[in-house]
Amino acid sequence: MASAAGLALVATPLVVISGASADDSSGDLATSPVAKHKKKKLNTLDLQLLSFNDFHGHLEANDSPQAPLPADTPPVGGVEYLASHVDALRSNQPRTTLTVAAGDLIGGSTFLSGLFQDQPSIEAMNALGLDVSSVGNHEFDEGTDELLRMVNGGCQDSGCFKDADGNDIPYEGADFDYLAANVLKRDTRKPLLPGTTVRKIKGVKVGFIGMTLEATPTLVNPAGVSSVRFKDEVQTANRASRRLQARGIDTIVVLLHEGGYQTGGYSACEGISDPILTIAQKLRHRIDAVVTGHTHQPYVCKIDDPRGDKRLVTSAASYGQVLTETHLIINKKTGDVLRKRSHAVNRLVTRDIPKNRAETNLIRFWSALAEPLAARVVGTVAEDITGSSSSCRCEETPMGDTVADAILFGTSAPADGGAQIAFMNTGGVRAELLVDAILNGEDPGEVTYAEAYAVSPFNNLLVTVDMTGQQIVDVLNQQYQDIEDRGSRKMLSLGVSEGFAYDWEWDGQAPAPNTQPSGPGHVVPGSLTLDGQPMSLDATYRVGTLNFLADGGDSFTAFEGATNRLGGPEDLANLVDFLGANPGLTAPQDRVNGL
């Protein structure tokens, strides 16, 4: 366990939250005229909440600082260090600390965790001493049945994972409370998981309400969540808070997997945006603090509640790289949070303190088992398929088109979205598939699971949307954008799927191969074809892509006008299925003339 002295390594000035009115039952108590010159000392509890969100199975300490953390941020993250920072802060208040999270602990995970269905991540959270977490949208990536298994324990229908001696590895599920107040079973209208939990700290009952964002069905495969409904976050939290209050619980914290964006430092709150701004403003006054996530942003905010009083709303970025330290000062007699005296700060999870030994042992155990699994052959290639993000992202590449083909493969069936066309961002294609690349002792041409993972390591989700021909043209024209967001890469090409083609022309001289163009270009009007037939600008087509692009990533904002969005599987799992279904894969011919 790290000593409390280790905290000096991440010392950050506390952000003091103020603004509660004197007659506010959740603020400081008013001083009566009789006692004007002598305040009565309150019997208070300092409840320390340590919180994080969007961990996404990032067990190993090998990530670079994730945006929006500054580029000069020191190395941060890794569960061994996250646990040590939690230990150090917890040691200051061992009996008055709770550790909580706001969802997406699993799903969209790294190779080590995802390879074992995220069981290592749940075990890591158990070892860390997590008390309570809400679910996030990624907890539903593989459907409600798998989520319940992750919570309750047990092996998959296909059996347990095996240790080095071939014995079953028992999986006992989560030791912490996983909450899903706004996820109701369709048949019974009861929560899929508990919606609230109560912890008693030195005589004070603290209630937690856990929820995911209402839009979760648009972010995951709809078949996996067809048995449940996702309800409005504000209505759910307000209703649950009334029920807690009726039970005599006056200290209430919401753990919500939804967030916003701000432009300041990682403990700031500059221009905090919707949806969390509006949600926070509508949550009942009796809710004392809101721990959020989903947008992977760090912030410590004070947002007006419906009475106009300031309330803490926090988020801790992603991947275990930031840890929020919140102190709720509670009147033990009334259970009211004294908002003027409560405060919070975001701390970097630096790697310059000792590792947590239990987490290190856990990583070593699963890493040893992962090595042979990484060598599993999932497909074959008959020739090199080249072009990745490490080369110029300004051109059509065989690898980009291959991944687009894989997306079409996973979204074309009517039950999977009925896609006719698929797009892939070249920057998301992180590796090539080469015949003579031998990484795990495989034969030439064989593609291992680790190689597939290297191509698609981001764990994006496949989605399908309706787009008109004109909207497709608008997206393609956004491949070139002379805007600040693009930095030095003004041209970012899109891989396109088999059967779709178009012509591209440059406004000036065409760039040399593998060279960023100096001027704009555009789609040749009337050149779009699908299966050899001209496409209509007014007709509607079904398009498959990644949630990253569908959400406007890489400044492809024209995708945001698409409608009828349905979620699908994770991109890596889909790529593995595609490789298995297409042995002897060859490099596709060009589908874009002039790019």
Side-chain angles (χ1 to χ4, degrees):
M1 178 179 295
S3 67
L7 295 181
L9 298 170
V10 291
T12 306
L14 293 179
V15 178
V16 180
I17 305 305
S18 61
S21 63
D23 60 352
D24 180 356
S25 63
S26 66
D28 291 330
L29 296 183
T31 303
S32 69
V34 176
K36 185 180 296 184
H37 301 295
K38 185 178 180 180
K39 292 185 178 180
K40 182 179 179 181
K41 185 176 181 180
L42 295 177
N43 183 13
T44 60
L45 165 70
D46 178 357
L47 173 62
Q48 179 177 234
L49 293 180
L50 305 178
S51 60
F52 55 94
N53 50 273
D54 297 277
F55 181 69
H56 291 291
H58 281 250
L59 299 169
E60 298 172 287
N62 53 15
D63 293 316
S64 58
Q66 298 296 297
L69 295 180
D72 60 354
T73 301
V76 288
V79 77
E80 298 159 290
Y81 298 104
L82 176 62
S84 287
H85 282 278
V86 167
D87 285 344
L89 286 165
R90 189 186 284 142
S91 69
N92 292 332
Q93 298 182 213
R95 298 179 60 195
T96 58
T97 297
L98 291 172
T99 305
V100 301
D104 276 8
L105 300 178
I106 59 175
S109 299
T110 61
F111 174 76
L112 181 60
S113 185
L115 190 62
F116 299 102
Q117 290 295 119
D118 277 320
Q119 290 177 199
S121 286
I122 296 296
E123 292 178 348
M125 294 298 102
N126 293 343
L128 179 144
L130 184 63
D131 292 296
V132 188
S133 180
S134 68
V135 295
N137 55 286
H138 274 282
E139 268 83 1
F140 293 91
D141 281 349
E142 297 191 45
T144 55
D145 289 345
E146 176 62 6
L147 171 56
L148 291 175
R149 186 188 75 85
M150 294 302 297
V151 172
N152 298 322
C155 298
Q156 293 183 295
D157 292 340
S158 58
C160 297
F161 293 110
K162 307 290 185 181
D163 63 19
D165 297 321
N167 301 314
D168 287 348
I169 300 172
Y171 174 63
E172 298 180 356
D175 290 345
F176 52 93
D177 293 320
Y178 240 139
L179 304 182
N182 66 331
V183 185
L184 305 183
K185 299 178 183 177
R186 289 183 180 272
D187 55 352
T188 65
R189 297 185 180 179
K190 294 182 179 180
L192 176 72
L193 291 167
T196 64
T197 190
V198 177
R199 297 299 177 97
K200 193 171 183 178
I201 306 295
K202 285 201 168 183
V204 175
K205 294 179 180 179
V206 183
F208 291 92
I209 304 166
M211 302 179 294
T212 186
L213 72 164
E214 184 182 4
T216 291
T218 68
L219 304 174
V220 299
N221 191 324
V225 294
S226 61
S227 64
V228 294
R229 293 180 179 179
F230 293 81
K231 308 298 288 185
D232 179 82
E233 304 96 335
V234 171
Q235 293 176 8
T236 300
N238 287 345
R239 185 181 302 113
S241 70
R242 290 187 182 96
R243 291 173 178 169
L244 288 171
Q245 196 174 358
R247 294 166 53 190
I249 299 159
D250 292 306
T251 303
I252 301 173
V253 177
V254 165
L255 308 175
L256 172 61
H257 190 72
E258 180 61 292
Y261 295 86
Q262 63 102 11
T263 58
Y266 58 82
S267 263
C269 185
E270 300 292 335
I272 188 67
S273 73
D274 280 334
I276 197 56
L277 177 60
T278 297
I279 290 173
Q281 290 170 337
K282 292 182 177 180
L283 290 174
R284 286 186 73 220
H285 173 74
R286 296 306 309 180
I287 292 169
D288 298 299
V290 187
V291 177
T292 73
H294 186 56
T295 55
H296 292 207
Q297 299 291 301
Y299 46 80
V300 175
C301 293
K302 46 183 181 180
I303 299 176
D304 287 351
D305 69 14
R307 293 188 186 179
D309 295 320
K310 304 297 183 184
R311 174 168 51 198
L312 275 169
V313 180
T314 66
S315 180
S318 63
Y319 300 172
Q321 298 191 342
V322 172
L323 178 66
T324 304
E325 176 192 350
T326 299
H327 290 267
L328 297 181
I329 310 304
I330 303 168
N331 182 334
K332 293 183 69 174
K333 183 177 180 180
T334 65
D336 294 328
V337 171
L338 310 180
R339 295 188 183 179
K340 283 186 178 181
R341 294 167 58 181
S342 298
H343 49 82
V345 64
N346 275 339
R347 298 188 180 277
L348 294 177
V349 179
T350 55
R351 298 175 186 165
D352 49 4
I353 65 174
K355 298 178 181 179
N356 179 279
R357 185 174 299 176
E359 302 289 9
T360 298
N361 291 338
L362 184 147
I363 290 173
R364 287 174 178 170
F365 174 81
W366 289 106
S367 294
L369 297 178
E371 290 179 6
L373 294 173
R376 177 168 62 94
V377 175
V378 298
T380 57
V381 292
E383 60 182 343
D384 289 348
I385 306 178
T386 61
S388 70
S389 61
S390 61
S391 57
C392 184
R393 303 181 187 183
C394 57
E395 302 168 340
E396 179 186 18
T397 68
M399 198 66 225
D401 288 349
T402 296
V403 177
D405 287 343
I407 295 173
L408 187 63
F409 167 85
T411 59
S412 60
D416 296 328
Q420 301 163 276
I421 303 165
F423 295 116
M424 176 63 194
N425 59 308
T426 303
V429 181
R430 309 300 287 189
E432 302 171 320
L433 295 178
L434 307 177
V435 172
D436 292 329
I438 312 299
L439 303 179
N440 292 282
E442 72 274 14
D443 291 333
E446 290 183 331
V447 179
T448 64
Y449 186 89
E451 288 176 289
Y453 185 89
V455 172
S456 296
F458 294 117
N459 295 285
N460 286 295
L461 297 177
L462 273 57
V463 299
T464 50
V465 293
D466 283 344
M467 299 183 71
T468 65
Q470 182 60 58
Q471 287 175 316
I472 292 173
V473 170
D474 293 342
V475 163
L476 294 173
N477 281 336
Q478 286 186 326
Q479 291 176 109
Y480 187 92
Q481 294 190 59
D482 191 6
I483 58 176
E484 184 176 353
D485 288 350
R486 283 280 175 90
S488 61
R489 294 190 179 108
K490 304 303 180 184
M491 182 72 189
L492 293 175
S493 66
L494 292 173
V496 301
S497 57
E498 184 178 10
F500 175 72
Y502 68 95
D503 294 337
W504 180 271
E505 66 180 4
W506 298 101
D507 293 352
Q509 184 176 358
N514 202 38
T515 303
Q516 276 285 332
S518 58
H522 60 272
V523 172
V524 175
S527 66
L528 272 65
T529 61
L530 180 61
D531 296 327
Q533 300 299 313
M535 295 174 61
S536 168
L537 297 182
D538 297 324
T540 298
Y541 301 90
R542 200 76 181 135
V543 175
T545 189
L546 303 180
N547 61 324
F548 170 76
L549 284 175
D551 291 337
D554 274 349
S555 302
F556 284 100
T557 56
F559 274 114
E560 295 175 348
T563 59
N564 195 19
R565 176 167 167 168
L566 292 175
E570 290 186 354
D571 56 351
L572 174 60
N574 178 74
L575 178 61
V576 169
D577 289 344
F578 172 76
L579 291 168
N582 294 273
L585 203 62
T586 58
Q589 298 297 309
D590 288 350
R591 295 159 184 174
V592 183
N593 181 33
L595 187 59

